[in-house]
Amino acid sequence: TLNSSTGLVTVNSGSAPGIYTLTYQICKANHPLHCDTAAVEVFVNAPQLEAIPDDFSSHVINACVGGTTSTVFVNDVYCGIPVTSSSVSVTLQNNGGIVGAGINSNGIISVPLNTPVGNYTLTYQICLNSNPSVCDTATVIISVVSGALPIFDFITTICNGTDAPILPLISNNGISGTWSPSVIDTTLTGTYTF
């Protein structure tokens, strides 16, 4: 639509892609019969679905137990808006050599135990649920290491009766696990194992 006061052309959301020609006329305010016409072309691009490459190599997978990645949706967008499992479907197009690798509907990749140590590049595809013909692909880098040790940066020596930190379930280097015991008791001396 053309705003007759400002001359601005507005394209409504959801307009079909294509080239649109608008013809407009201008007339002098003090001489309404003195007019001229012209045309303006408006280019409407198809909505952009963008799968952006991910590098999860800093959050290593322990070959002894396997593991999962963060979601590949973390930086993928449709028309600039982050995608979710309700807006796109996702498939693993190439496992990069990780036999048994999979991806769930939330974009989380699973790596089975006993995967050989190494760096792997996998390829996934996202497609719009509202229009499955609109798709994009991207790569994911995953690092599998042998017997990786979890790294934590919280205080490991705690005084009796002081506030205890909450034990994290994911280490700084991306290893998931549980603690035993699961909660720190600052009234007792003890060891907590991840």
Side-chain angles (χ1 to χ4, degrees):
T1 57
L2 177 66
N3 185 313
S4 60
S5 298
T6 64
L8 294 176
V9 175
T10 301
V11 178
N12 294 328
S13 175
S15 297
I19 301 173
Y20 297 84
T21 302
L22 287 76
T23 301
Y24 66 95
Q25 182 183 65
I26 55 173
C27 298
K28 292 188 68 174
N30 59 345
H31 292 287
L33 298 180
H34 292 182
C35 301
D36 197 11
T37 59
V40 58
E41 285 189 337
V42 178
F43 296 81
V44 178
N45 294 322
Q48 296 296 305
L49 176 64
E50 296 179 275
I52 310 297
D54 300 290
D55 185 349
F56 295 143
S57 61
S58 62
H59 295 279
V60 296
I61 303 289
N62 187 336
C64 298
V65 295
T68 57
T69 67
S70 301
T71 175
V72 298
F73 296 161
V74 66
N75 54 359
D76 296 344
V77 294
Y78 175 61
C79 290
I81 299 172
V83 304
T84 65
S85 58
S86 62
S87 61
V88 298
S89 60
V90 60
T91 55
L92 198 60
Q93 299 291 295
N94 186 319
N95 67 15
I98 301 180
V99 177
I103 191 167
N104 68 18
S105 61
N106 291 316
I108 296 172
I109 296 174
S110 58
V111 178
L113 59 85
N114 295 324
T115 295
V117 171
N119 291 322
Y120 298 87
T121 301
L122 297 76
T123 303
Y124 71 95
Q125 181 183 67
I126 54 175
C127 297
L128 287 177
N129 290 332
S130 60
N131 186 354
S133 65
V134 177
C135 301
D136 198 18
T137 60
T139 57
V140 184
I141 298 174
I142 295 175
S143 181
V144 178
V145 298
S146 178
L149 295 176
I151 298 172
F152 297 98
D153 59 10
F154 60 86
I155 299 171
T156 55
T157 301
I158 301 166
C159 295
N160 188 317
T162 59
D163 291 335
I166 296 173
L167 295 171
L169 299 180
I170 301 176
S171 70
N172 293 356
N173 55 335
I175 299 174
S176 301
T178 57
W179 290 88
S180 179
S182 60
V183 178
I184 295 176
D185 183 348
T186 60
T187 64
L188 299 172
T189 299
T191 300
Y192 296 81
T193 304
F194 184 74

